[in-house]
């Protein structure tokens, strides 16, 4: 396993169908002092009520969860959720939003998040693909690998919908495929090594 | 010898992109140098691949020698996605909290900056009309892209969208029947031209053009998300100079004044809806 995996500077997470519960499990495993900033994109309707997902995730998570605003600085120890109906992009040290047309039928798009994060964070990035019923995230995961980052994927067999993680595993050489619980434990240990 | 490809390649690409933007600025006069990098880079790459090229430097070569290639990039770079009554709660707040302020003026000037193809402008015009301000309000609708400005004047939108727009209109507190505002021609909905009798459509570049009037309301939504922080700050200077005292500034749902030097010059009218009032 790559050494970088132990202390990435940013973790990006993408999920779709079944994602809210998978995210709750993933974030629920984080210790309160978890230092690595995390950016999460979950597919949902343009009209989904603002703040609902953030509140739901915060109930499960000891680390502060916030919806990302345009140009927000990326701060340690914070989980950022991409707002509905915007793409979430990563610049060096901050976020940017866009209303570009949907990519892979989605806005927010996981590919857009992963590709921009790969560009800005290169080998200091861990990307995580969870349950989902489409192919968003595959191109993004490829970009993460090309820039030297690490890709972790939820075991399709343990996912509510296997299509999205399976598509990534099929076309990208990912680092690890783990059932949700082990994946969560794996991430929870990051950045806390001496 | 081990070369760390990632960061090196990345730094090189960054340099190529900066040179490209500088070249465009010097040669064609369009200034994208302070646009937000991540989405700009995506769109430059899309153009590059479509041209069958491999590096940004190669694209620069072609762009500088072939104006048509530049035209194609310009189209790629301008993101004109827009919706009528996008974020209905925003329009509701405009009606309830801003219209009463506007009523106190004998004549109202509104600047719709970055109006794209006019969906937002027509939404504002309908709102002002329903609030009885149609006759004494003038909207200046501007965009960097003259193609969309010309389209905006027509007020002709895809009929397919009308179901979504009707929903938005109702949720925004619309007072009439939405379909009364347009006539159907084939697959298009053409909005009543009298709605925009008091609208001035014009090309205006927020980056390089200066202020041209004093406004009581400036609406600039989902335009500055494409700018980096320092450019946002400059445009906020422009807006600050262009607003009358107690004039209102309206931004997109995910934008804020937090990173600008004007935080203290405004007070909140509605924090969630990103409505501010200039106080100094
Ligand atoms: C995503 S659209 C937003 C349209 C509308 N305001 C809305 O929220 O639905 C962004 C618009 O900003 C315009 N724009 C980009 N750069 C600009 C500039 N420097 N000056 C003026 N308009 C600009 C684009 O041409 C595009 O029409």
């Amino acid at each position: 396993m790559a050494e970088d995996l132990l202390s990435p500077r940013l973790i990006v997470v993408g999920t779709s169908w079944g994602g809210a519960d998978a995210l709750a499990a993933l974030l629920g495993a984080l210790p309160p002092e978890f230092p690595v900033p995390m950016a999460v994109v979950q597919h949902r309707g343009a009209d989904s009520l603002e703040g609902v997902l953030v509140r739901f995730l915060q109930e499960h998570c000891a680390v502060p969860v916030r919806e990302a605003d345009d140009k927000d600085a990326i701060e340690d120890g914070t989980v950022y959720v991409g707002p509905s109906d915007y793409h979430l992009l990563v610049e060096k040290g901050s976020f940017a939003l866009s209303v570009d047309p949907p990519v892979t039928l989605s806005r927010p798009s996981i590919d857009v998040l992963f590709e921009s994060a790969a560009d800005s964070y290169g080998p200091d990035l861990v990307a995580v693909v969870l349950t989902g019923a489409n192919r968003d995230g595959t191109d993004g995961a490829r970009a993460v690998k090309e820039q030297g980052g690490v890709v972790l994927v939820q075991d399709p067999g343990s996912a509510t919908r296997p299509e999205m993680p399976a598509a990534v595993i099929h076309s990208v050489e990912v680092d690890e495929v783990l059932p949700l619980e082990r994946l969560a434990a794996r991430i929870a240990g990051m950045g806390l090594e001496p | 010898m081990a070369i760390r490809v990632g960061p090196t390649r990345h730094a090189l690409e960054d340099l190529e992109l900066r040179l490209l933007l500088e070249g465009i600025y010097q040669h064609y006069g369009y200034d994208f140098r302070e646009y937000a990098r991540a989405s700009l880079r995506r769109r430059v790459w899309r153009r590059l691949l479509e041209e069958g090229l491999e590096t940004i430097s190669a694209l620069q070569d072609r762009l500088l020698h072939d104006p048509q290639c530049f035209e194609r990039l310009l189209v790629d770079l301008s993101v004109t996605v827009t919706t009528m009554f996008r974020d209905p709660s925003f329009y509701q707040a405009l009606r309830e909290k801003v219209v009463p302020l506007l009523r106190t003026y004998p004549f109202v000037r509104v600047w719709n900056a970055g109006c794209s193809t006019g969906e937002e402008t027509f939404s504002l015009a309908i709102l002002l009309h329903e609030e009885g301000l149609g006759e004494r309000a003038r909207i200046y609708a501007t965009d960097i892209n003259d193609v969309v400005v010309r389209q905006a004047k027509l007020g002709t939108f895809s009929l397919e969208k009308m179901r979504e727009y009707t929903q938005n209109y109702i949720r925004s507190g619309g007072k009439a029947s939405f379909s009364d505002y347009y006539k159907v021609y084939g697959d298009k909905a053409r909005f009543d031209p009298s709605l925009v009798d008091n609208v001035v459509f014009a090309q205006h570049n927020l980056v390089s053009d200066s202020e041209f009037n004093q406004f009581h309301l400036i609406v600039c939504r989902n335009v500055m998300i494409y700018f980096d922080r320092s450019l946002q700050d400059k445009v906020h200077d422009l807006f600050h100079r262009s607003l009358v005292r107690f004039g209102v500034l309206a931004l997109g749902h995910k934008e804020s004044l937090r990173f600008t030097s004007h935080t203290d010059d405004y007070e909140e009218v509605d924090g969630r809806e990103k409505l501010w009032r200039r106080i100094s």
Side-chain angles (χ1 to χ4, degrees):
Chain A
M1 178 56 43
E3 240 172 81
D4 292 332
L5 179 53
L6 297 176
S7 52
R9 285 176 48 222
L10 178 68
I11 300 171
V12 288
V13 184
T15 183
S16 178
W17 190 321
D21 290 331
L23 284 171
L26 188 83
L27 300 183
L30 301 180
E33 67 277 18
F34 185 73
V36 189
M38 206 183 262
V40 176
V41 154
Q42 146 95 70
H43 290 166
R44 56 197 192 283
D47 54 351
S48 62
L49 279 178
E50 206 178 308
V52 172
L53 181 63
V54 168
R55 278 200 298 282
F56 169 76
L57 295 177
Q58 186 68 82
E59 277 168 26
H60 294 84
C61 179
V63 174
V65 182
R66 294 222 315 254
E67 198 160 270
D69 263 354
D70 183 50
K71 303 297 176 302
D72 264 350
I74 299 178
E75 284 168 14
D76 285 355
T78 309
V79 175
Y80 297 90
V81 176
S84 65
D85 214 19
Y86 287 86
H87 291 300
L88 177 65
L89 295 99
V90 173
E91 308 265 6
K92 287 189 192 82
S94 63
F95 291 108
L97 300 176
S98 96
V99 292
D100 287 32
V103 175
T104 334
L105 300 177
S106 310
R107 188 170 70 197
S109 142
I110 300 167
D111 284 335
V112 170
L113 171 67
F114 283 13
E115 285 168 14
S116 61
D119 271 329
S120 302
Y121 282 77
D124 297 319
L125 180 72
V126 170
V128 183
V129 179
L130 303 176
T131 170
N134 55 62
R135 293 188 45 89
D136 191 16
T138 296
D139 289 343
R142 190 176 304 115
V144 171
K145 288 312 300 172
E146 278 169 12
Q147 300 293 328
V150 169
V151 175
L152 306 179
V153 181
Q154 179 178 8
D155 174 11
S158 82
T160 311
R161 289 298 298 254
E163 290 89 340
M164 202 162 85
V168 174
I169 296 165
H170 178 77
S171 39
V172 182
E173 216 164 290
V174 305
D175 294 84
E176 282 191 72
V177 178
L178 297 167
L180 185 55
E181 222 168 285
R182 294 209 9 237
L183 186 63
R186 174 64 136 160
I187 291 166
M190 288 179 186
L192 297 171
E193 315 281 325
Chain B
M1 200 180 74
I3 298 174
R4 293 199 69 177
V5 177
T8 313
R9 199 184 93 178
H10 186 259
L12 183 59
E13 200 217 82
D14 232 36
L15 174 64
E16 290 181 279
L17 188 55
R18 266 186 288 134
L19 292 172
L20 176 85
L21 299 178
E22 190 61 38
I24 289 175
Y25 176 57
Q26 304 242 346
H27 192 61
Y28 293 108
Y30 279 87
D31 192 354
F32 294 108
R33 292 175 300 175
E34 293 180 296
Y35 275 49
R37 275 309 149 87
S39 63
L40 190 71
R41 186 192 290 125
R42 279 189 74 82
R43 276 173 272 133
V44 166
W45 268 99
R46 189 182 309 151
R47 172 69 6 228
L48 188 165
L49 294 173
E50 271 181 29
E51 301 282 326
L53 301 169
E54 283 179 3
T55 64
I56 296 180
S57 305
L59 180 64
Q60 171 176 332
D61 183 31
R62 182 171 298 177
L63 275 177
L64 293 181
H65 295 103
D66 177 2
Q68 282 173 357
C69 177
F70 175 64
E71 289 288 329
R72 292 192 290 274
L73 179 72
L74 254 194
V75 172
D76 293 335
L77 287 188
S78 73
V79 182
T80 55
V81 178
T82 183
T83 312
M84 286 188 88
F85 293 98
R86 181 184 165 113
D87 306 319
S89 59
F90 166 77
Y91 286 91
Q92 202 170 359
L94 267 190
R95 275 185 204 270
E96 287 166 9
K97 300 185 177 168
V98 178
V99 164
L101 301 175
L102 298 182
R103 277 194 216 290
T104 62
Y105 300 103
F107 194 80
V108 178
R109 280 183 302 273
V110 179
W111 183 7
N112 182 198
C115 65
S116 187
T117 37
E119 282 81 343
E120 194 172 56
T121 315
F122 275 80
S123 306
L124 292 169
I126 288 172
L127 187 150
L128 293 176
H129 167 76
E130 289 185 1
E131 297 299 328
L133 289 172
E135 297 288 302
R136 58 185 167 110
R138 172 158 295 153
I139 302 176
Y140 294 76
T142 64
D143 201 283
I144 186 180
N145 181 336
D146 62 332
V147 177
V148 293
V149 173
R150 264 182 273 136
Q151 216 175 312
K153 275 185 208 164
L154 301 176
T156 305
F157 309 125
S158 158
L159 188 59
E160 240 173 42
K161 297 275 191 179
M162 287 306 130
R163 185 195 297 261
E164 178 196 343
Y165 293 174
T166 305
Q167 286 303 319
N168 286 354
Y169 168 76
I170 293 169
R171 286 167 57 203
S172 78
K175 292 182 171 164
S177 161
F178 193 56
S179 57
D180 289 348
Y181 289 114
Y182 62 83
K183 288 206 175 75
V184 177
Y185 296 95
D187 58 356
K188 296 271 188 281
R190 165 122 215 252
F191 278 72
D192 183 349
S194 74
L195 282 169
V196 289
D197 277 349
N198 281 336
V199 179
V200 178
F201 290 96
Q203 185 181 21
H204 179 278
N205 185 343
L206 291 168
V207 180
S208 49
D209 294 333
S210 44
E211 62 258 49
F212 57 93
N213 215 326
Q214 288 283 300
F215 295 95
H216 306 97
L217 170 64
I218 296 179
V219 177
C220 184
R221 310 188 76 215
N222 301 313
V223 177
M224 281 188 282
I225 53 177
Y226 291 99
F227 301 169
D228 74 11
R229 273 196 203 177
S230 94
L231 181 53
Q232 286 185 352
D233 211 26
K234 288 179 206 160
V235 177
H236 274 293
D237 287 341
L238 173 67
F239 286 163
H240 185 254
R241 288 196 303 271
S242 303
L243 269 179
V244 302
R245 190 132 182 258
F246 301 122
V248 173
L249 176 63
L251 303 177
H253 261 174
K254 297 289 143 198
E255 301 170 64
S256 83
L257 285 166
R258 206 164 2 128
F259 305 118
T260 76
S261 51
H262 290 291
T263 358
D264 296 334
D265 296 329
Y266 292 88
E267 71 178 14
E268 225 175 77
V269 175
D270 186 323
R272 226 189 74 98
E273 300 303 337
K274 304 298 156 85
L275 292 165
W276 284 278
R277 188 144 98 125
R278 181 182 160 183
I279 49 172
S280 64

